[in-house]
């Protein structure tokens, strides 16, 4: 077990800098999720921690020890990949035991660790099968078992569930979380799926274009996003954004609607409100002309436009709404649920 420090990390390929001054302290036993869109640098950062990519500048420390120059095998980490990376000609037992044989552990110790990991992952009945005889979820369990038997200081997961169907992904991410809590091993998990990130992580590091936009708990990112990017990326459906003129605790929206906001700001800003925080109210200041409904069972998403404008909005209402296209619905906005961002930088304005 170990804590991890990322200090002013930079990664460049030739003259092109792809990761910019990454900072982060990860506590012993913590589950950290690195999340962001494709191409933002998530996997590159993970591979730097693993030793599969060199560090251009800055420092990585694991358990208080600088590891920049250490080979991957010397960092006491175990990595679980997207494509499982199992040897097709070996049985499940042989795949799980292979790394331990390389380390020249005794046969008895290897068998003990494999059996113990197989018990935890509920794959004992598959130990003598080949990978081709397993489903995708079973292969992913084997890949995790191969990591567990090494008893590493750190687990690294590189989008391990992306090859699974939606139902199995939900099941497997819960199993990964329970497994990590049971073992208590410091873990870093990369995904582009913000729902997966919110479900799994003690804290989330949101990357955008190689920069850390925010590093905090899922609730911190949901309730107080540090930027328009984080606000739009975390939460499903995404936050609504509208240009606004702010004065005296009121934001004037396109079309003239006025809504209350927190803080003492004045001037141009970007106003944000989550669909689930719009409150149906016949006297509310926001009027949405409905274009389309999404019936989700427990709730309905109303897609439309702010009355008299081309600005799109989404509202989430409980139950089965039946509004016809063209219907006008009005909503109130609680000031404590509204968000203001700088109109130029996109950074959050203080409440």
């Amino acid at each position: 077990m170990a804590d991890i420090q990322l200090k002013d990390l930079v990664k460049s390929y030739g003259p092109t800098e792809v990761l910019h001054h990454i900072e982060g302290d990860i506590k012993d036993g913590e589950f950290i999720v690195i999340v962001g869109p494709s191409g933002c640098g998530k996997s590159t950062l993970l591979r730097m921690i693993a030793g599969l990519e060199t560090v251009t500048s800055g420092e990585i420390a694991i358990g208080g020890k600088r590891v920049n120059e250490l080979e991957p095998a010397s960092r006491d980490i175990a990595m679980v990949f997207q494509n499982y990376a199992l040897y097709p000609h070996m049985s499940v037992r042989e795949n799980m035991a292979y790394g331990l044989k390389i380390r020249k552990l005794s046969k008895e110790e290897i068998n003990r660790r494999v059996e113990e990991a197989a018990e935890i992952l509920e794959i004992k009945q598959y130990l003598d099968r080949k990978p081709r005889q397993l489903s995708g979820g079973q292969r992913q369990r084997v890949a995790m078992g191969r990591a567990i038997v090494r008893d590493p200081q750190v687990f690294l997961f590189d989008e391990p569930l992306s090859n699974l169907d939606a139902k199995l992904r939900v099941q497997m991410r819960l199993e990964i979380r329970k497994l990590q809590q049971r073992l208590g091993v410091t873990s870093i998990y990369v995904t582009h799926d913000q729902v997966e990130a919110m479900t799994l992580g003690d804290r989330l590091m949101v990357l955008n274009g190689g920069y850390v936009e925010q590093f905090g708990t899922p609730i911190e990112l949901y309730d107080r996003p540090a930027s328009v990017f984080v606000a739009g990326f975390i939460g499903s459906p995404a936050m609504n954004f509208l240009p606004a003129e702010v004065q005296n605790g009121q934001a004037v929206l396109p079309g003239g609607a006025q809504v209350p906001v927190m803080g003492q700001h004045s001037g141009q800003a970007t106003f944000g409100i989550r669909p689930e925080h719009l409150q149906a109210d016949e006297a509310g200041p926001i009027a949405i002309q409905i274009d389309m409904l999404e019936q989700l069972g427990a709730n309905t998403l109303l897609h439309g436009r702010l009355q008299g404008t081309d600005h799109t909005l989404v509202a989430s209402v409980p139950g089965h709404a039946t509004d016809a296209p063209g219907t006008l619905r009005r909503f109130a906005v609680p000031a404590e649920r509204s968000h203001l961002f700088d109109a130029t930088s996109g950074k959050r304005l203080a409440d």
Side-chain angles (χ1 to χ4, degrees):
M1 318 279 190
D3 54 6
I4 300 171
Q5 288 82 43
L6 310 177
K7 301 177 183 177
D8 199 25
L9 280 186
V10 172
K11 176 62 181 178
S12 299
Y13 295 106
T16 305
E17 190 171 290
V18 296
L19 285 175
H20 316 285
H21 307 286
I22 306 296
E23 295 273 350
D25 288 332
I26 299 168
K27 303 183 189 78
D28 182 23
E30 199 171 17
F31 196 124
I32 297 298
V33 178
I34 303 173
V35 63
S38 297
C40 70
K42 306 182 298 293
S43 290
T44 300
L45 178 55
L46 194 76
R47 289 171 63 84
M48 289 167 69
I49 297 168
L52 302 173
E53 292 276 1
T54 57
V55 174
T56 303
S57 65
E59 182 177 287
I60 300 170
I62 299 177
K65 178 182 178 182
R66 176 186 166 99
V67 298
N68 288 39
E69 290 76 30
L70 288 184
E71 291 297 318
S74 303
R75 298 192 183 197
D76 198 12
I77 57 158
M79 196 158 180
V80 180
F81 296 93
Q82 175 181 344
N83 62 359
Y84 318 133
L86 301 176
Y87 296 108
H89 62 288
M90 293 183 183
S91 68
V92 168
R93 184 187 301 277
E94 290 167 336
N95 266 283
M96 291 173 64
Y98 184 74
L100 303 182
K101 288 181 178 177
I102 296 296
R103 291 163 60 184
K104 298 188 173 8
L105 269 66
S106 70
K107 186 176 180 180
E108 292 74 20
E109 177 65 10
I110 292 172
N111 285 337
R112 184 190 68 78
R113 292 194 188 190
V114 169
E115 291 285 336
E116 187 176 276
E119 181 75 34
I120 291 170
L121 294 164
E122 299 179 357
I123 55 173
K124 287 191 76 169
Q125 65 270 41
Y126 307 127
L127 284 174
D128 295 321
R129 294 189 188 181
K130 297 292 199 316
R132 67 177 177 274
Q133 298 172 296
L134 306 177
S135 68
Q138 290 163 351
R139 290 181 201 175
Q140 194 54 270
R141 281 190 176 89
V142 176
M144 288 191 289
R146 186 178 52 196
I148 290 169
V149 297
R150 294 185 57 188
D151 192 22
Q153 289 193 93
V154 177
F155 285 138
L156 303 179
F157 297 89
D158 191 6
E159 305 217 35
L161 306 183
S162 14
N163 288 337
L164 305 180
D165 63 54
K167 183 178 179 181
L168 192 53
R169 282 184 73 149
V170 172
Q171 177 188 339
M172 287 298 297
R173 74 186 183 216
L174 292 175
E175 290 187 12
I176 287 175
R177 189 63 176 118
K178 286 192 292 185
L179 175 67
Q180 192 273 340
Q181 288 174 335
R182 176 175 177 175
L183 298 176
V185 178
T186 308
S187 300
I188 303 177
Y189 187 107
V190 159
T191 182
H192 63 274
D193 184 330
Q194 58 95 8
V195 174
E196 195 165 283
M198 295 282 284
T199 304
L200 285 170
D202 293 322
R203 287 189 294 156
L204 314 183
M205 178 182 284
V206 182
L207 288 188
N208 179 29
Y211 290 94
V212 176
E213 289 272 345
Q214 193 169 356
F215 189 20
T217 68
I219 296 304
E220 286 171 352
L221 271 61
Y222 178 82
D223 284 342
R224 292 182 54 79
S227 65
V228 166
F229 177 83
V230 175
F233 193 80
I234 298 296
S236 181
M239 185 181 287
N240 296 299
F241 298 107
L242 294 167
E245 179 73 30
V246 183
Q247 285 185 345
N248 302 320
Q250 295 284 318
V252 182
L253 306 178
Q258 295 188 35
V259 296
V261 292
M262 306 292 286
Q264 302 297 314
H265 304 289
S266 61
Q268 293 293 318
T270 297
F271 169 82
I273 184 74
R274 295 196 182 279
E276 57 271 29
H277 294 154
L278 286 167
Q279 297 181 348
D281 184 338
E282 291 182 3
I286 289 185
I288 301 178
Q289 186 171 351
I290 307 302
D291 292 330
M292 185 188 77
L293 305 184
E294 267 190 282
Q295 298 281 4
L296 302 179
N299 64 307
T300 302
L301 299 182
L302 309 179
H303 295 262
R305 286 162 287 126
L306 183 63
Q307 185 182 26
T309 76
D310 291 327
H311 293 282
T312 58
L313 287 172
V314 180
S316 178
V317 296
H320 308 295
T322 56
D323 301 70
T327 302
L328 203 64
R329 288 282 297 267
R330 303 194 77 90
F331 295 87
V333 177
E336 68 275 11
R337 290 297 196 177
S338 64
H339 305 265
L340 286 178
F341 304 94
D342 185 273
T344 304
S345 69
K347 299 300 182 185
R348 183 181 188 85
L349 297 173
D351 297 340

